[in-house]
Amino acid sequence: MWDDAFPSFLIGLREGLEAGLVVSVLVATLVRAGVRSRLPQVWTGVLAAIALSMSFGAVLTFTAASLSTTAQEAFGGALSIVAVAFVTAMVFWMRRSARGLAGEIAEKVTGALTMGAGVLILTSFLAVGREGLETALFLWTTARAAHESAGPLTGAGVGLVLAAMVCWGLYRRVLSINLTRFFTVTGAVLVVIAAGVLGYGLRDLQEGGVLPGGTAYAVDLSGSVDAGSWYSTLLQGVLNLTPTMTWLQVLGYVGYLGVVMTLFVRGARAVAPSTSPAPDALAPARARTSNRPVWLLPVAVVAVPALLAGLVVAVARSKPLSGETVAVSEADCGQGFTAPRPGRQTFLMRNTGKQTSEVYLINPATGAVYGEVEGLAPGTARDLVATVAGGTYAWRCVPTDGKAVTSRAIRVSGGSAATAVVPVSERDLAAPLRAYKEYVNRGLATLATQTRKLRDDISAGHLDTARTDWLTAHRTYASLGAAYGTFEDFDQKINGRPDGLPDGVHDKGFTGFHRIEYGLWHDRPACELKGPARQLADDAAGLRTAFPHQEFDPSDLPLRAHEILENTLQFELTGDTDQGSGTGLATADANLAGTRELLAVLRPLLTTRAPHLLTTVDADIARLRKLLDSEHQGAGWTPVERLTPAAEARIDGVTGQLLEDLSPVPDLLEIRKSA
């Protein structure tokens, strides 16, 4: 959040100070001229400018929300470019005009005093409105880049409050600031920030299909830089620099920064201060009389922008995003469905039945799923987004306690092929589940033998041998990661950690591998470890006996493909589970082996659904194995805390990339009622 606040803080401070200086000069000029009665006209113009700016922000927000994802990218990218243009122009204008600003505004006020109230309102409105619109546009682009609004809005709010305090201090002459230097320094910083906004905008235009080169990467540090680290987050939040950037992004960033910063540093020299208006020019002007209430004009100029913004939002929201509502129920499944045009479409799915239902957009010939909504309650509606291309489409409605119903098929012409997921049933996962259970049974038989040997080593006092046998047995258990959820209470007994126990490593509830690890690598006597070793062997034998009778949910298999290494990255590769052996990488290697076994039984299903994914995942696994092997010398492994920063970053980066590439597996192999 806070890493995204700085650019908005700076724009809020700078734009707020510019607008505040304008208002201060307006007020000071009227006060010196002895026409305080005209001050409400200034504040009316200021409030109108604020209302217009907030309304502009609301229109941007709701307009973007009404677009498809691709259109949102294009819309956001275009506005990012516009924001950069505005900020650039503002930076150069203020660099040149800071010294003569007061005199220029005083001249405008002098002319306005001889005319009606509307002219003075317009003068203050135009002076503040430009800054407000620039602020709204820049805030919208930075919030969109940050994917959240709390940080940018907080930063802008703090900047605006600080700007108001500074302007009040300048007006009351309790502060003295070199405004030319202030606007020069902040302008240079804003040029750097604007370069990042330009790069982000260009990337949006590429993702929106407006500009080419979306896959031509000039920089790809995703394998060696942790995108979630504090320094990476800070660079992304402040400068919009990401670990992966296309050639167009880099060229736009470097080109803008090189050209604009050079021109700014050379900059046009500030003009001499304008001459103050003659005293008689500030003489009180005769106010025009009017019979209308004094409150009518301020209320009108503030309310009109808000009403217009509300009208725009209402018109934008008045049409369903897809222009089509589709019924979901056993009786009228798919009613209202007509042939859509190719492209990304949003359908409003309304449950007109009496049961909670699931609904799928399918290819009726193959059952392939293009989009789905789960748990749609009676009388409710939700959007379903899917990409439609040339082919045949139908809706499949599946009530909770009813029979699946398929709507009539619709033929769509034109467009390239759309991506679909071939649904998976429990029957499809039966063979992989059977094969994986056999693998686990073999592993548990081996584990029982290895834990008995570990028990015997400790009973005989052979602690050096016990350390070697401990690692062997622990790696065997770690390779069974996909079955952990099935092991019930045995997992806590066999592989539990001391986290959360009242007495930590000395707690009676601390048992299993990590209890023995702590004792073996903290020089505890054999007599102290005999009990835990005996209990571990008994628990391993008990698990082997119980496992064939335990429930193994077939849907766990696709989920575990991702979760095994997710836990590895969270615990083993951070050293959190290490109780002194320094074998976190050895355990990570065993987890990787377990993931390979799991993918082996799922490979037939994945090959028909995402063959390219398997190629990518296999390459990731090979890279990670190579990195882990490089830290394995003989029987020893490099402890995680002794890894060089570069080696640790590479291992974490490749593991993170593998996790990202594995993330589609649960969705691809999710058991769907449409199958």
Side-chain angles (χ1 to χ4, degrees), residues 192-283:
V192 177
I193 292 174
V197 174
L198 175 63
Y200 180 84
L202 293 174
R203 180 58 178 164
D204 272 355
L205 291 175
Q206 288 179 316
E207 293 180 348
V210 178
L211 295 177
T215 58
Y217 294 108
V219 178
D220 187 359
L221 303 178
S222 57
S224 56
V225 174
D226 180 8
S229 63
W230 68 268
Y231 55 85
S232 181
T233 304
L234 185 65
L235 286 175
Q236 291 180 60
V238 177
L239 303 179
N240 271 309
L241 291 176
T242 59
T244 304
M245 298 181 71
T246 65
W247 278 106
L248 183 60
Q249 280 183 281
V250 172
L251 291 175
Y253 186 95
V254 174
Y256 174 89
L257 195 60
V259 173
V260 176
M261 186 63 81
T262 300
L263 293 175
F264 182 78
V265 171
R266 291 180 180 176
R269 295 182 178 178
V271 296
S274 300
T275 306
S276 299
D280 58 348
L282 295 178

Side-chain angles (χ1 to χ4, degrees), residues 298-380:
V299 170
V301 297
V302 173
V304 166
L307 291 174
L308 290 176
L311 181 63
V312 171
V313 172
V315 170
R317 287 296 195 182
S318 63
K319 301 176 182 178
L321 296 183
S322 62
E324 185 169 274
T325 300
V326 181
V328 179
S329 74
E330 290 182 274
D332 50 11
C333 179
Q335 185 176 349
F337 181 46
T338 58
R341 286 183 290 183
R344 191 173 179 85
Q345 302 291 337
T346 302
F347 304 94
L348 183 63
M349 312 307 300
R350 184 176 298 281
N351 189 340
T352 57
K354 297 180 180 180
Q355 295 188 53
T356 298
S357 299
E358 297 182 3
V359 60
Y360 304 87
L361 179 62
I362 65 169
N363 180 330
T366 64
V369 177
Y370 294 93
E372 63 187 295
V373 170
E374 298 180 347
L376 185 62
T380 63

Side-chain angles (χ1 to χ4, degrees), residues 69-119:
T69 302
T70 302
Q72 284 186 33
E73 300 292 347
F75 181 68
L79 287 183
S80 294
I81 306 300
V82 174
V84 170
F86 279 174
V87 170
T88 305
M90 174 266 293
V91 163
F92 279 95
W93 177 80
M94 204 60 190
R95 171 78 168 80
R96 181 177 62 253
S97 306
R99 291 184 180 177
L101 183 64
E104 179 182 342
I105 295 173
E107 289 179 2
K108 291 181 179 179
V109 175
T110 300
L113 285 173
T114 62
M115 304 180 188
V119 178

Side-chain angles (χ1 to χ4, degrees), residues 4-24:
D4 300 315
F6 177 73
S8 299
F9 165 77
L10 187 61
I11 200 72
L13 175 62
R14 185 182 170 102
E15 296 277 13
L17 193 54
E18 288 185 30
L21 288 173
V22 170
V23 174
S24 297

Side-chain angles (χ1 to χ4, degrees), residues 447-463 465-466 469-470 473 513 516 520 526 529-539 541:
L447 179 68
T449 301
Q450 292 170 342
T451 52
R452 285 198 303 269
K453 188 174 187 305
L454 175 60
R455 177 198 62 192
D456 295 342
D457 292 338
I458 292 176
S459 295
H462 301 152
L463 297 188
T465 306
D469 291 339
W470 175 90
F513 278 112
I516 297 172
L520 288 174
L529 299 177
K530 288 181 180 180
R534 184 168 54 253
Q535 182 179 348
L536 174 62
D538 291 344
D539 288 336

